[in-house]
Amino acid sequence: MAARAQRGSAAFSLVEVTLALGLVAFAVLAVMATIPLGLSTLGDARDQTTEAHILSGLAAKIGTLSFTELSELDSKVTFDFEGQPVSGQERERAVYEVRMSTIEPIYAGGPSDPGRTLRTVQIVVSNLHRPAIPSNSYTVHVAKSE
C-alpha cells in the first residue's frame, strides 16, 4: 500500500494541469493581442521613414531651382514604397503621392513684400494605400540669393 501512495503523489492532478493550461492560454492571448498594435506601429514607422526620404530629396531639388521656377512650381509626383519616383507607366506601383505648390509667405508683424525675397513651397504627402491616414503637410522656405 505504501508503494501505491508514492506512485500517485509523483503526478500532477487534473486541477493543477487545468490551472497551468489556463495560465499559459492567458499569457499566449496577451502576447497575441499585441501583434496588431505592433504591425500598425511598424507600418507607421515605415511611412515616416519613407516620407523623410522623399522630403529630403525634394528639398534638395527645390534648392537647385531658380527663384523664378519656384514661383511657378505646381506639380504632383508619385513614389513607390521605397521612396523612389514612379513614372506614368508604372502608376500601379505608386504608394505615395506628393503635391508641391508655391504659397505666399506670411510674415508676422505687419505688411511687407516677401514675394521678392522669399518663396514658400508647400509639400503635401498622401499615402495612396492607407487613405484613412491624413495627409502630412510640410513647408520649405527658400530665400532669394543675390
Side-chain angles (χ1 to χ4, degrees):
M1 217 146 140
R4 179 187 276 177
Q6 282 182 339
R7 188 179 64 166
S9 64
F12 292 107
S13 70
L14 183 59
V15 172
E16 291 171 329
V17 170
T18 304
L19 284 174
L21 285 174
L23 287 173
V24 168
F26 182 75
V28 168
L29 182 65
V31 169
M32 300 260 314
T34 62
I35 289 174
L37 178 63
L39 290 174
S40 175
T41 303
L42 177 67
D44 292 344
R46 184 191 63 232
D47 287 341
Q48 289 177 357
T49 301
T50 305
E51 278 187 28
H53 177 71
I54 291 169
L55 289 171
S56 175
L58 290 175
K61 180 181 177 184
I62 288 169
T64 64
L65 296 176
S66 71
F67 209 63
T68 306
E69 290 172 320
L70 283 174
S71 63
E72 300 165 357
L73 183 64
D74 188 19
S75 65
K76 187 187 297 185
V77 185
T78 55
F79 294 86
D80 65 7
F81 73 98
E82 294 178 335
Q84 301 300 318
V86 175
S87 65
Q89 299 96 348
E90 302 172 313
R91 177 78 174 144
E92 68 277 353
R93 285 188 32 228
V95 176
Y96 301 96
E97 180 179 80
V98 177
R99 293 183 309 275
M100 294 181 290
S101 59
T102 304
I103 58 175
E104 284 296 318
I106 300 171
Y107 286 122
S112 62
D113 190 12
R116 293 183 303 145
T117 59
L118 181 68
R119 296 278 191 256
T120 301
V121 178
Q122 183 177 35
I123 303 171
V124 179
V125 181
S126 304
N127 188 325
L128 300 174
H129 290 207
R130 296 170 75 183
I133 296 176
S135 300
N136 294 321
S137 181
Y138 306 92
T139 56
V140 177
H141 300 285
V142 181
K144 185 176 186 179
S145 58
E146 298 295 327

